[in-house]
Amino acid sequence: MFSSELEGKIILDVLSEEERFLQRVKAIDVVNINFEAYESRVFLLNDKFSLQYLLDRAPNATKRSLDSLSKISMQITSLCLCLNERPNIRFHAASGRAGKYCEVLARILDGDGTETGDLDNQIGKLPHWKPRYNPGTLLILDRESDPVAPLLHEVTYQAALMDADRIKDGNLIEVEEKRKGKPTRTTYVLNEEDKWWREFRHRHVKEVIGKLSQAKEEFLKNNQVAAGQRDVAEWDSKQMLKQVRDYPLYREFTRQYKKHTGILAMTLNGLRPLLKEGLNLEQDMATGMDPKGKKISSRDFFSRLCAICESSDICMLSKLRIVMTYIITQGGMNKKEKDIIFSHLNYNALPAIGKLEELGINTGNRQNAFKRKLDSSHEAEIKNHLNEEAEWAGGQWRYRPRLLDTVKQMIEGKLSTKSHPYIRAPRKETMVERKASGIRSRRIRSTKTKLDDDVEKPRFIIYVLGGVTASEIGAIYSLGKVYNVDLFIGSTGILSPDEYIKSLSQGSIPKNENLHKSRSNMRSTDEEVKL
């Protein structure tokens, strides 16, 4: 039995008074659901600013961080039990402060050799619980593995909305509309029951606009109500019957079309102040290549950065994001550069830049050793993306999260055990069967029938310590389709750029401060943005 936060004893006490229940049930195990199933492949543990606590160096911070990790461990344990999973556990062996907590969390979950971990402790309390035949793998990552991803401005549908902090309370969004000539606010729900949201949420906003236009044209041709401009007197009984049947479809289509066109218009308005130059500079620095996949020089990066910081049309949050991307990708920033750039930033925001050191980033004079260069596999992944998405990738959709390449290597059995070791040797590795060339095949020898194939799919659970980004979530969905494996991703929360920078600032920037506002007037929203 799956329960909420109520203790198992309370539930059993209530059930013990039900005679019919007692007559029919011979044994019962109670599993506590201690996580939020945000989407079909996404779980959240609801603590958006956990990164702030992990990076804190205050005297009592270590104890608070360990308490937080113990809570996370129990929540991940709850997820594994609900999935009938006793996974092998791997972690990112990082050098930074946040990265070191990956191993700590792995040991709390799986034990440290002297003490039993939370997973086995809870399994021991469930005598009738049985794990899947093919064990999955839990991979624990952290923000040190990709400090750039939360900073980049995104142009895919869901990520752009998250970026602009438009989605509230998990899946609600407010859109300004006009009804009978008067402005009003309408609240919409964005979830997987919405076909268009499910299909387009990880696609470029410009592509989504085109797809909606195509759907409208097709609907106008095929729906009797939408196309019904002919003389009603000429209709026969079949046409009238089709009109009646098509009316509910017409109402639903117009409702959905109005909903998504309104949201997309708001999304584009959010990207408009940054303009093409800012988006292109971010992608140039993050990838080191142009839209065609050719390497580019970094000589003009600083002059372009200065132009953005000097602009009164770009909000403080966007300036901070681009400055931090420069420091991460270029291996630091010298004193002369800092004097120029920091004069255009809010004083309260500067500690956030300094705290990048805790993620293994050099914030002092530039050093080639600290440059965040793409490794060969990550570079190949980006070039492949540019080829496959040539129509939409363009200048502003080049970078692919490092998590994508890491998980891909894990599925293919190529992920280094030096950079991502197991907390202890696997009892039995996750078995992956794949016919595609270049991917190692490990057959599942089982007596299961075909009906059980989906249950025994290779399964990988990714947990990102300190927050996961919308672009990383999109990467997991795409990998699951390509490799036909069961992939789940989760964290304490979906990390917006605003939350990321405030966490790094260690309270220097108040949580309620609106960084989306510029120090001067924004550019007119009538100006078009070219994506």
Side-chain angles (χ1 to χ4, degrees), residues 154-163 167 173 190 194 196-206 208-209 212 256-257 259-265 267 397 470:
E154 289 290 340
V155 291
T156 52
Y157 195 6
Q158 184 183 43
L161 288 173
M162 293 283 188
D163 189 319
I167 299 178
I173 184 167
L190 292 173
D194 182 332
W196 283 351
W197 177 250
R198 192 171 64 243
E199 185 176 349
F200 299 138
R201 60 189 161 179
H202 302 305
R203 304 301 303 164
H204 193 294
V205 289
K206 193 173 179 181
V208 180
I209 291 171
L212 291 185
Q256 287 290 87
Y257 184 79
K259 166 184 173 180
H260 286 284
T261 51
I263 295 172
L264 284 164
T267 304
W397 193 28

mmCIF file of all heavy atoms in Angstrom, residues 154-163 167 173 190 194 196-206 208-209 212 256-257 259-265 267 397 470:
data_model
loop_
_atom_site.group_PDB
_atom_site.id
_atom_site.type_symbol
_atom_site.label_atom_id
_atom_site.label_comp_id
_atom_site.label_asym_id
_atom_site.label_seq_id
_atom_site.Cartn_x
_atom_site.Cartn_y
_atom_site.Cartn_z
ATOM 1 N N GLU A 154 17.078 30.274 -22.466
ATOM 2 C CA GLU A 154 16.566 29.167 -23.263
ATOM 3 C C GLU A 154 15.484 29.638 -24.225
ATOM 4 O O GLU A 154 14.721 30.558 -23.921
ATOM 5 C CB GLU A 154 16.001 28.077 -22.347
ATOM 6 C CG GLU A 154 17.059 27.312 -21.587
ATOM 7 C CD GLU A 154 17.902 26.411 -22.474
ATOM 8 O OE1 GLU A 154 17.454 26.083 -23.593
ATOM 9 O OE2 GLU A 154 19.018 26.049 -22.059
ATOM 10 N N VAL A 155 15.416 28.992 -25.392
ATOM 11 C CA VAL A 155 14.417 29.356 -26.394
ATOM 12 C C VAL A 155 13.480 28.184 -26.711
ATOM 13 O O VAL A 155 12.745 28.224 -27.685
ATOM 14 C CB VAL A 155 15.085 29.863 -27.696
ATOM 15 C CG1 VAL A 155 15.751 31.198 -27.471
ATOM 16 C CG2 VAL A 155 16.087 28.845 -28.229
ATOM 17 N N THR A 156 13.513 27.137 -25.879
ATOM 18 C CA THR A 156 12.509 26.086 -26.019
ATOM 19 C C THR A 156 11.316 26.454 -25.128
ATOM 20 O O THR A 156 11.458 27.209 -24.161
ATOM 21 C CB THR A 156 13.073 24.709 -25.621
ATOM 22 O OG1 THR A 156 13.666 24.801 -24.323
ATOM 23 C CG2 THR A 156 14.116 24.241 -26.621
ATOM 24 N N TYR A 157 10.157 25.921 -25.456
ATOM 25 C CA TYR A 157 8.886 26.385 -24.889
ATOM 26 C C TYR A 157 8.878 26.346 -23.353
ATOM 27 O O TYR A 157 8.740 27.379 -22.681
ATOM 28 C CB TYR A 157 7.763 25.526 -25.472
ATOM 29 C CG TYR A 157 6.363 26.060 -25.289
ATOM 30 C CD1 TYR A 157 6.105 27.310 -24.745
ATOM 31 C CD2 TYR A 157 5.268 25.293 -25.695
ATOM 32 C CE1 TYR A 157 4.810 27.788 -24.606
ATOM 33 C CE2 TYR A 157 3.966 25.759 -25.569
ATOM 34 C CZ TYR A 157 3.743 27.004 -25.008
ATOM 35 O OH TYR A 157 2.467 27.464 -24.868
ATOM 36 N N GLN A 158 9.027 25.160 -22.772
ATOM 37 C CA GLN A 158 8.970 25.031 -21.316
ATOM 38 C C GLN A 158 10.119 25.780 -20.639
ATOM 39 O O GLN A 158 9.917 26.495 -19.655
ATOM 40 C CB GLN A 158 8.998 23.562 -20.902
ATOM 41 C CG GLN A 158 8.852 23.358 -19.403
ATOM 42 C CD GLN A 158 8.957 21.892 -18.999
ATOM 43 O OE1 GLN A 158 9.815 21.164 -19.489
ATOM 44 N NE2 GLN A 158 8.074 21.443 -18.129
ATOM 45 N N ALA A 159 11.334 25.625 -21.184
ATOM 46 C CA ALA A 159 12.506 26.244 -20.560
ATOM 47 C C ALA A 159 12.413 27.766 -20.569
ATOM 48 O O ALA A 159 12.804 28.427 -19.601
ATOM 49 C CB ALA A 159 13.777 25.793 -21.278
ATOM 50 N N ALA A 160 11.881 28.342 -21.650
ATOM 51 C CA ALA A 160 11.745 29.801 -21.728
ATOM 52 C C ALA A 160 10.759 30.323 -20.688
ATOM 53 O O ALA A 160 10.962 31.385 -20.097
ATOM 54 C CB ALA A 160 11.307 30.205 -23.129
ATOM 55 N N LEU A 161 9.691 29.565 -20.441
ATOM 56 C CA LEU A 161 8.718 29.961 -19.419
ATOM 57 C C LEU A 161 9.316 29.852 -18.022
ATOM 58 O O LEU A 161 9.105 30.716 -17.167
ATOM 59 C CB LEU A 161 7.462 29.093 -19.530
ATOM 60 C CG LEU A 161 6.566 29.359 -20.741
ATOM 61 C CD1 LEU A 161 5.449 28.322 -20.813
ATOM 62 C CD2 LEU A 161 5.975 30.756 -20.690
ATOM 63 N N MET A 162 10.063 28.770 -17.785
ATOM 64 C CA MET A 162 10.743 28.608 -16.500
ATOM 65 C C MET A 162 11.771 29.722 -16.309
ATOM 66 O O MET A 162 11.925 30.293 -15.220
ATOM 67 C CB MET A 162 11.456 27.252 -16.451
ATOM 68 C CG MET A 162 10.527 26.063 -16.437
ATOM 69 S SD MET A 162 9.795 25.816 -14.808
ATOM 70 C CE MET A 162 8.985 24.237 -15.049
ATOM 71 N N ASP A 163 12.482 30.033 -17.382
ATOM 72 C CA ASP A 163 13.514 31.053 -17.370
ATOM 73 C C ASP A 163 12.941 32.395 -16.919
ATOM 74 O O ASP A 163 13.530 33.105 -16.096
ATOM 75 C CB ASP A 163 14.090 31.175 -18.785
ATOM 76 C CG ASP A 163 15.327 32.047 -18.851
ATOM 77 O OD1 ASP A 163 15.350 33.089 -18.179
ATOM 78 O OD2 ASP A 163 16.261 31.683 -19.575
ATOM 79 N N ILE A 167 5.897 30.272 -14.678
ATOM 80 C CA ILE A 167 5.113 29.143 -14.183
ATOM 81 C C ILE A 167 5.095 29.179 -12.658
ATOM 82 O O ILE A 167 6.141 29.171 -12.018
ATOM 83 C CB ILE A 167 5.666 27.801 -14.701
ATOM 84 C CG1 ILE A 167 5.608 27.768 -16.229
ATOM 85 C CG2 ILE A 167 4.890 26.634 -14.109
ATOM 86 C CD1 ILE A 167 6.166 26.510 -16.851
ATOM 87 N N ILE A 173 0.002 29.095 -14.976
ATOM 88 C CA ILE A 173 0.559 30.255 -15.652
ATOM 89 C C ILE A 173 -0.540 31.270 -15.919
ATOM 90 O O ILE A 173 -1.646 30.910 -16.327
ATOM 91 C CB ILE A 173 1.259 29.848 -16.972
ATOM 92 C CG1 ILE A 173 1.927 31.068 -17.615
ATOM 93 C CG2 ILE A 173 0.306 29.180 -17.945
ATOM 94 C CD1 ILE A 173 2.888 30.699 -18.721
ATOM 95 N N LEU A 190 -0.658 23.916 -17.202
ATOM 96 C CA LEU A 190 0.228 23.263 -18.161
ATOM 97 C C LEU A 190 0.633 21.904 -17.598
ATOM 98 O O LEU A 190 1.424 21.829 -16.658
ATOM 99 C CB LEU A 190 1.468 24.125 -18.413
ATOM 100 C CG LEU A 190 1.247 25.447 -19.146
ATOM 101 C CD1 LEU A 190 2.522 26.269 -19.160
ATOM 102 C CD2 LEU A 190 0.772 25.204 -20.574
ATOM 103 N N ASP A 194 -2.474 17.998 -21.537
ATOM 104 C CA ASP A 194 -2.543 18.920 -22.668
ATOM 105 C C ASP A 194 -1.667 18.355 -23.789
ATOM 106 O O ASP A 194 -0.438 18.337 -23.697
ATOM 107 C CB ASP A 194 -2.031 20.299 -22.221
ATOM 108 C CG ASP A 194 -2.108 21.355 -23.314
ATOM 109 O OD1 ASP A 194 -2.033 20.997 -24.505
ATOM 110 O OD2 ASP A 194 -2.220 22.545 -22.968
ATOM 111 N N TRP A 196 -0.823 19.401 -26.817
ATOM 112 C CA TRP A 196 0.158 20.296 -27.427
ATOM 113 C C TRP A 196 1.319 20.568 -26.487
ATOM 114 O O TRP A 196 2.463 20.650 -26.915
ATOM 115 C CB TRP A 196 -0.514 21.608 -27.839
ATOM 116 C CG TRP A 196 -1.322 21.473 -29.091
ATOM 117 C CD1 TRP A 196 -1.352 20.399 -29.935
ATOM 118 C CD2 TRP A 196 -2.207 22.441 -29.657
ATOM 119 N NE1 TRP A 196 -2.207 20.630 -30.980
ATOM 120 C CE2 TRP A 196 -2.750 21.875 -30.841
ATOM 121 C CE3 TRP A 196 -2.612 23.711 -29.278
ATOM 122 C CZ2 TRP A 196 -3.658 22.553 -31.642
ATOM 123 C CZ3 TRP A 196 -3.515 24.399 -30.077
ATOM 124 C CH2 TRP A 196 -4.025 23.830 -31.248
ATOM 125 N N TRP A 197 1.062 20.744 -25.211
ATOM 126 C CA TRP A 197 2.133 20.960 -24.238
ATOM 127 C C TRP A 197 3.040 19.736 -24.167
ATOM 128 O O TRP A 197 4.271 19.852 -24.157
ATOM 129 C CB TRP A 197 1.541 21.265 -22.876
ATOM 130 C CG TRP A 197 2.546 21.427 -21.770
ATOM 131 C CD1 TRP A 197 2.767 20.572 -20.723
ATOM 132 C CD2 TRP A 197 3.481 22.503 -21.602
ATOM 133 N NE1 TRP A 197 3.766 21.051 -19.914
ATOM 134 C CE2 TRP A 197 4.218 22.242 -20.435
ATOM 135 C CE3 TRP A 197 3.748 23.662 -22.329
ATOM 136 C CZ2 TRP A 197 5.214 23.092 -19.976
ATOM 137 C CZ3 TRP A 197 4.750 24.508 -21.866
ATOM 138 C CH2 TRP A 197 5.467 24.222 -20.705
ATOM 139 N N ARG A 198 2.437 18.570 -24.143
ATOM 140 C CA ARG A 198 3.201 17.317 -24.074
ATOM 141 C C ARG A 198 4.102 17.153 -25.302
ATOM 142 O O ARG A 198 5.238 16.685 -25.196
ATOM 143 C CB ARG A 198 2.219 16.151 -23.966
ATOM 144 C CG ARG A 198 2.842 14.819 -23.596
ATOM 145 C CD ARG A 198 1.773 13.795 -23.304
ATOM 146 N NE ARG A 198 0.956 13.481 -24.467
ATOM 147 C CZ ARG A 198 -0.349 13.711 -24.553
ATOM 148 N NH1 ARG A 198 -0.990 14.265 -23.540
ATOM 149 N NH2 ARG A 198 -1.030 13.394 -25.632
ATOM 150 N N GLU A 199 3.590 17.550 -26.448
ATOM 151 C CA GLU A 199 4.319 17.347 -27.700
ATOM 152 C C GLU A 199 5.363 18.422 -27.970
ATOM 153 O O GLU A 199 6.435 18.141 -28.516
ATOM 154 C CB GLU A 199 3.324 17.316 -28.869
ATOM 155 C CG GLU A 199 3.948 16.992 -30.214
ATOM 156 C CD GLU A 199 2.909 16.876 -31.314
ATOM 157 O OE1 GLU A 199 1.691 16.839 -31.003
ATOM 158 O OE2 GLU A 199 3.313 16.842 -32.494
ATOM 159 N N PHE A 200 5.092 19.673 -27.589
ATOM 160 C CA PHE A 200 5.943 20.790 -28.007
ATOM 161 C C PHE A 200 6.766 21.434 -26.896
ATOM 162 O O PHE A 200 7.547 22.348 -27.172
ATOM 163 C CB PHE A 200 5.074 21.892 -28.638
ATOM 164 C CG PHE A 200 4.321 21.451 -29.859
ATOM 165 C CD1 PHE A 200 2.993 21.837 -30.041
ATOM 166 C CD2 PHE A 200 4.919 20.666 -30.823
ATOM 167 C CE1 PHE A 200 2.286 21.450 -31.170
ATOM 168 C CE2 PHE A 200 4.223 20.266 -31.959
ATOM 169 C CZ PHE A 200 2.906 20.657 -32.133
ATOM 170 N N ARG A 201 6.645 21.015 -25.650
ATOM 171 C CA ARG A 201 7.276 21.749 -24.538
ATOM 172 C C ARG A 201 8.793 21.834 -24.642
ATOM 173 O O ARG A 201 9.400 22.770 -24.109
ATOM 174 C CB ARG A 201 6.882 21.113 -23.204
ATOM 175 C CG ARG A 201 7.287 19.667 -23.078
ATOM 176 C CD ARG A 201 6.700 19.012 -21.853
ATOM 177 N NE ARG A 201 6.737 17.562 -21.984
ATOM 178 C CZ ARG A 201 6.317 16.716 -21.065
ATOM 179 N NH1 ARG A 201 5.832 17.195 -19.931
ATOM 180 N NH2 ARG A 201 6.380 15.425 -21.253
ATOM 181 N N HIS A 202 9.426 20.864 -25.331
ATOM 182 C CA HIS A 202 10.888 20.884 -25.438
ATOM 183 C C HIS A 202 11.360 21.322 -26.824
ATOM 184 O O HIS A 202 12.514 21.064 -27.190
ATOM 185 C CB HIS A 202 11.460 19.508 -25.097
ATOM 186 C CG HIS A 202 11.088 19.020 -23.739
ATOM 187 N ND1 HIS A 202 11.332 19.749 -22.601
ATOM 188 C CD2 HIS A 202 10.440 17.896 -23.331
ATOM 189 C CE1 HIS A 202 10.877 19.086 -21.546
ATOM 190 N NE2 HIS A 202 10.332 17.979 -21.965
ATOM 191 N N ARG A 203 10.473 21.989 -27.586
ATOM 192 C CA ARG A 203 10.818 22.457 -28.911
ATOM 193 C C ARG A 203 11.016 23.972 -28.928
ATOM 194 O O ARG A 203 10.520 24.691 -28.074
ATOM 195 C CB ARG A 203 9.718 22.078 -29.921
ATOM 196 C CG ARG A 203 9.400 20.599 -29.971
ATOM 197 C CD ARG A 203 10.611 19.770 -30.325
ATOM 198 N NE ARG A 203 11.186 20.197 -31.598
ATOM 199 C CZ ARG A 203 12.413 19.857 -32.003
ATOM 200 N NH1 ARG A 203 13.197 19.125 -31.215
ATOM 201 N NH2 ARG A 203 12.856 20.276 -33.172
ATOM 202 N N HIS A 204 11.753 24.460 -29.934
ATOM 203 C CA HIS A 204 12.015 25.883 -30.104
ATOM 204 C C HIS A 204 10.692 26.636 -30.241
ATOM 205 O O HIS A 204 9.788 26.202 -30.951
ATOM 206 C CB HIS A 204 12.872 26.066 -31.361
ATOM 207 C CG HIS A 204 13.493 27.418 -31.511
ATOM 208 N ND1 HIS A 204 12.754 28.564 -31.709
ATOM 209 C CD2 HIS A 204 14.794 27.814 -31.490
ATOM 210 C CE1 HIS A 204 13.564 29.595 -31.821
ATOM 211 N NE2 HIS A 204 14.812 29.181 -31.682
ATOM 212 N N VAL A 205 10.569 27.785 -29.559
ATOM 213 C CA VAL A 205 9.301 28.510 -29.557
ATOM 214 C C VAL A 205 8.864 28.901 -30.967
ATOM 215 O O VAL A 205 7.672 28.917 -31.285
ATOM 216 C CB VAL A 205 9.367 29.764 -28.654
ATOM 217 C CG1 VAL A 205 9.407 29.381 -27.197
ATOM 218 C CG2 VAL A 205 10.555 30.659 -29.012
ATOM 219 N N LYS A 206 9.818 29.202 -31.833
ATOM 220 C CA LYS A 206 9.472 29.580 -33.200
ATOM 221 C C LYS A 206 8.879 28.388 -33.954
ATOM 222 O O LYS A 206 7.940 28.536 -34.738
ATOM 223 C CB LYS A 206 10.718 30.098 -33.927
ATOM 224 C CG LYS A 206 10.416 30.805 -35.238
ATOM 225 C CD LYS A 206 11.682 31.426 -35.806
ATOM 226 C CE LYS A 206 11.388 32.124 -37.136
ATOM 227 N NZ LYS A 206 12.603 32.726 -37.719
ATOM 228 N N VAL A 208 7.238 25.951 -32.507
ATOM 229 C CA VAL A 208 5.910 25.715 -31.922
ATOM 230 C C VAL A 208 4.872 26.642 -32.560
ATOM 231 O O VAL A 208 3.760 26.220 -32.882
ATOM 232 C CB VAL A 208 5.939 25.915 -30.387
ATOM 233 C CG1 VAL A 208 4.549 25.677 -29.802
ATOM 234 C CG2 VAL A 208 6.947 24.974 -29.745
ATOM 235 N N ILE A 209 5.243 27.899 -32.769
ATOM 236 C CA ILE A 209 4.326 28.844 -33.412
ATOM 237 C C ILE A 209 3.949 28.347 -34.803
ATOM 238 O O ILE A 209 2.778 28.387 -35.206
ATOM 239 C CB ILE A 209 4.976 30.244 -33.492
ATOM 240 C CG1 ILE A 209 5.102 30.839 -32.088
ATOM 241 C CG2 ILE A 209 4.156 31.177 -34.374
ATOM 242 C CD1 ILE A 209 5.919 32.113 -32.027
ATOM 243 N N LEU A 212 1.532 25.349 -34.556
ATOM 244 C CA LEU A 212 0.170 25.763 -34.203
ATOM 245 C C LEU A 212 -0.541 26.347 -35.419
ATOM 246 O O LEU A 212 -1.740 26.105 -35.629
ATOM 247 C CB LEU A 212 0.202 26.796 -33.079
ATOM 248 C CG LEU A 212 0.642 26.311 -31.692
ATOM 249 C CD1 LEU A 212 0.498 27.428 -30.683
ATOM 250 C CD2 LEU A 212 -0.155 25.104 -31.240
ATOM 251 N N GLN A 256 -7.721 25.649 -26.743
ATOM 252 C CA GLN A 256 -6.309 25.305 -26.680
ATOM 253 C C GLN A 256 -5.463 26.253 -27.532
ATOM 254 O O GLN A 256 -4.365 26.649 -27.134
ATOM 255 C CB GLN A 256 -6.097 23.858 -27.156
ATOM 256 C CG GLN A 256 -6.579 22.804 -26.178
ATOM 257 C CD GLN A 256 -5.704 22.760 -24.940
ATOM 258 O OE1 GLN A 256 -5.912 23.493 -23.977
ATOM 259 N NE2 GLN A 256 -4.699 21.903 -24.954
ATOM 260 N N TYR A 257 -5.989 26.618 -28.699
ATOM 261 C CA TYR A 257 -5.245 27.506 -29.600
ATOM 262 C C TYR A 257 -5.058 28.877 -28.944
ATOM 263 O O TYR A 257 -3.964 29.461 -28.963
ATOM 264 C CB TYR A 257 -5.983 27.640 -30.925
ATOM 265 C CG TYR A 257 -5.238 28.458 -31.961
ATOM 266 C CD1 TYR A 257 -4.199 27.889 -32.690
ATOM 267 C CD2 TYR A 257 -5.561 29.790 -32.191
ATOM 268 C CE1 TYR A 257 -3.496 28.632 -33.630
ATOM 269 C CE2 TYR A 257 -4.864 30.548 -33.125
ATOM 270 C CZ TYR A 257 -3.842 29.956 -33.850
ATOM 271 O OH TYR A 257 -3.138 30.702 -34.777
ATOM 272 N N LYS A 259 -5.113 29.528 -25.777
ATOM 273 C CA LYS A 259 -4.241 29.342 -24.614
ATOM 274 C C LYS A 259 -2.765 29.399 -25.025
ATOM 275 O O LYS A 259 -1.982 30.175 -24.465
ATOM 276 C CB LYS A 259 -4.566 27.993 -23.949
ATOM 277 C CG LYS A 259 -3.553 27.495 -22.942
ATOM 278 C CD LYS A 259 -3.963 26.102 -22.445
ATOM 279 C CE LYS A 259 -2.914 25.465 -21.559
ATOM 280 N NZ LYS A 259 -3.346 24.122 -21.093
ATOM 281 N N HIS A 260 -2.384 28.597 -26.014
ATOM 282 C CA HIS A 260 -0.967 28.486 -26.362
ATOM 283 C C HIS A 260 -0.456 29.682 -27.154
ATOM 284 O O HIS A 260 0.714 30.066 -26.982
ATOM 285 C CB HIS A 260 -0.712 27.178 -27.117
ATOM 286 C CG HIS A 260 -0.745 25.974 -26.227
ATOM 287 N ND1 HIS A 260 0.292 25.652 -25.384
ATOM 288 C CD2 HIS A 260 -1.712 25.044 -26.012
ATOM 289 C CE1 HIS A 260 -0.022 24.560 -24.705
ATOM 290 N NE2 HIS A 260 -1.230 24.174 -25.063
ATOM 291 N N THR A 261 -1.273 30.279 -27.999
ATOM 292 C CA THR A 261 -0.810 31.481 -28.704
ATOM 293 C C THR A 261 -0.591 32.625 -27.723
ATOM 294 O O THR A 261 0.350 33.412 -27.865
ATOM 295 C CB THR A 261 -1.814 31.906 -29.795
ATOM 296 O OG1 THR A 261 -3.135 31.992 -29.234
ATOM 297 C CG2 THR A 261 -1.805 30.922 -30.953
ATOM 298 N N GLY A 262 -1.441 32.723 -26.700
ATOM 299 C CA GLY A 262 -1.261 33.752 -25.677
ATOM 300 C C GLY A 262 -0.001 33.544 -24.865
ATOM 301 O O GLY A 262 0.753 34.483 -24.580
ATOM 302 N N ILE A 263 0.266 32.279 -24.497
ATOM 303 C CA ILE A 263 1.466 31.964 -23.718
ATOM 304 C C ILE A 263 2.729 32.203 -24.537
ATOM 305 O O ILE A 263 3.721 32.749 -24.044
ATOM 306 C CB ILE A 263 1.419 30.501 -23.222
ATOM 307 C CG1 ILE A 263 0.261 30.319 -22.225
ATOM 308 C CG2 ILE A 263 2.737 30.117 -22.560
ATOM 309 C CD1 ILE A 263 0.014 28.878 -21.834
ATOM 310 N N LEU A 264 2.698 31.821 -25.819
ATOM 311 C CA LEU A 264 3.866 32.003 -26.684
ATOM 312 C C LEU A 264 4.172 33.477 -26.905
ATOM 313 O O LEU A 264 5.344 33.883 -26.946
ATOM 314 C CB LEU A 264 3.639 31.296 -28.022
ATOM 315 C CG LEU A 264 3.783 29.771 -27.972
ATOM 316 C CD1 LEU A 264 3.159 29.133 -29.202
ATOM 317 C CD2 LEU A 264 5.247 29.369 -27.862
ATOM 318 N N ALA A 265 3.133 34.296 -27.064
ATOM 319 C CA ALA A 265 3.351 35.736 -27.228
ATOM 320 C C ALA A 265 4.037 36.307 -25.994
ATOM 321 O O ALA A 265 4.959 37.137 -26.089
ATOM 322 C CB ALA A 265 2.018 36.434 -27.478
ATOM 323 N N THR A 267 5.939 34.599 -23.951
ATOM 324 C CA THR A 267 7.289 34.041 -23.932
ATOM 325 C C THR A 267 8.236 34.874 -24.781
ATOM 326 O O THR A 267 9.363 35.187 -24.371
ATOM 327 C CB THR A 267 7.271 32.581 -24.445
ATOM 328 O OG1 THR A 267 6.350 31.819 -23.669
ATOM 329 C CG2 THR A 267 8.648 31.955 -24.346
ATOM 330 N N TRP A 397 20.238 28.309 -30.056
ATOM 331 C CA TRP A 397 19.903 26.988 -29.508
ATOM 332 C C TRP A 397 20.993 25.994 -29.890
ATOM 333 O O TRP A 397 20.767 25.005 -30.538
ATOM 334 C CB TRP A 397 18.536 26.524 -30.028
ATOM 335 C CG TRP A 397 17.972 25.345 -29.287
ATOM 336 C CD1 TRP A 397 18.206 24.993 -27.998
ATOM 337 C CD2 TRP A 397 17.073 24.355 -29.799
ATOM 338 N NE1 TRP A 397 17.520 23.846 -27.666
ATOM 339 C CE2 TRP A 397 16.808 23.441 -28.757
ATOM 340 C CE3 TRP A 397 16.463 24.160 -31.030
ATOM 341 C CZ2 TRP A 397 15.960 22.343 -28.928
ATOM 342 C CZ3 TRP A 397 15.610 23.064 -31.201
ATOM 343 C CH2 TRP A 397 15.368 22.172 -30.153
ATOM 344 N N ALA A 470 15.371 23.073 -16.800
ATOM 345 C CA ALA A 470 14.369 22.612 -17.765
ATOM 346 C C ALA A 470 15.032 22.010 -19.001
ATOM 347 O O ALA A 470 14.519 21.062 -19.598
ATOM 348 C CB ALA A 470 13.456 23.774 -18.168
#
